[in-house]
Amino acid sequence: MKILLVEDDTFFREFYSTKLREKNIEVETAANGEEGLLRLQTFMPDVMLLDIIMPKKDGFDVLKELAQMQLLPKLPVLVFSTLGQEKDIEKARVLGARGYVNKSFFDFEKLYARILELVKPN
């Protein structure tokens, strides 16, 4: 499995990419939305973990661009953010995200379970 983790916070990016690699997942990271979109030119993940509050392009802008690029049907995006208000979660879903996980709870097993749900065949 391959994951693109788009996260501007160095701690969260390193912590979660390390935990994912421990599960034998290939992980590429990006420090902002603009960088994340550029990574897609050379790395097509099975899942994108996407922060919302980031410099250059926030997660909402990334979701809009993924929709314009017609990638959302084949690239599941899991919002991975500390924003937990229902309006933010709903906005992400309307823009094409397939789910939401609050990254600040450090519940890696819950995150991993959500990732597996997104990549299992229907």
Side-chain angles (χ1 to χ4, degrees):
M1 183 185 334
K2 299 189 299 185
I3 291 181
L4 176 58
L5 173 57
V6 185
E7 167 62 60
D8 65 315
D9 184 282
T10 304
F11 172 79
F12 284 119
R13 195 170 57 243
E14 293 304 315
F15 176 81
Y16 283 105
S17 63
T18 298
K19 298 295 278 180
L20 290 164
R21 286 182 182 113
E22 288 172 1
K23 296 280 189 184
N24 296 313
I25 296 172
E26 183 180 345
V27 180
E28 290 281 329
T29 62
N32 59 62
E34 192 174 273
E35 192 178 309
L37 289 167
L38 286 173
R39 286 263 191 279
L40 292 175
Q41 294 176 6
T42 57
F43 181 78
M44 185 49 70
D46 298 302
V47 175
M48 177 187 281
L49 297 178
L50 180 65
D51 189 16
I52 294 296
I53 303 172
M54 295 182 292
K56 298 193 180 181
K57 287 189 189 293
D58 69 18
F60 296 130
D61 289 335
V62 170
L63 284 166
K64 289 173 191 171
E65 288 203 32
L66 292 172
Q68 289 172 349
M69 298 163 68
Q70 299 181 347
L71 287 176
L72 288 175
K74 59 187 171 197
L75 175 59
V77 176
L78 185 61
V79 170
F80 182 62
S81 179
T82 56
L83 283 182
Q85 294 185 337
E86 193 58 43
K87 67 180 179 72
D88 296 315
I89 297 168
E90 183 59 26
K91 181 176 180 180
R93 285 199 174 123
V94 166
L95 291 172
R98 305 243 188 116
Y100 166 86
V101 172
N102 189 322
K103 69 183 175 189
S104 59
F105 291 141
F106 298 102
D107 188 345
F108 177 74
E109 292 306 318
K110 179 179 177 183
L111 171 65
Y112 186 61
R114 289 291 290 128
I115 291 167
L116 293 178
E117 287 172 18
L118 290 176
V119 297
K120 72 179 177 186
N122 293 335

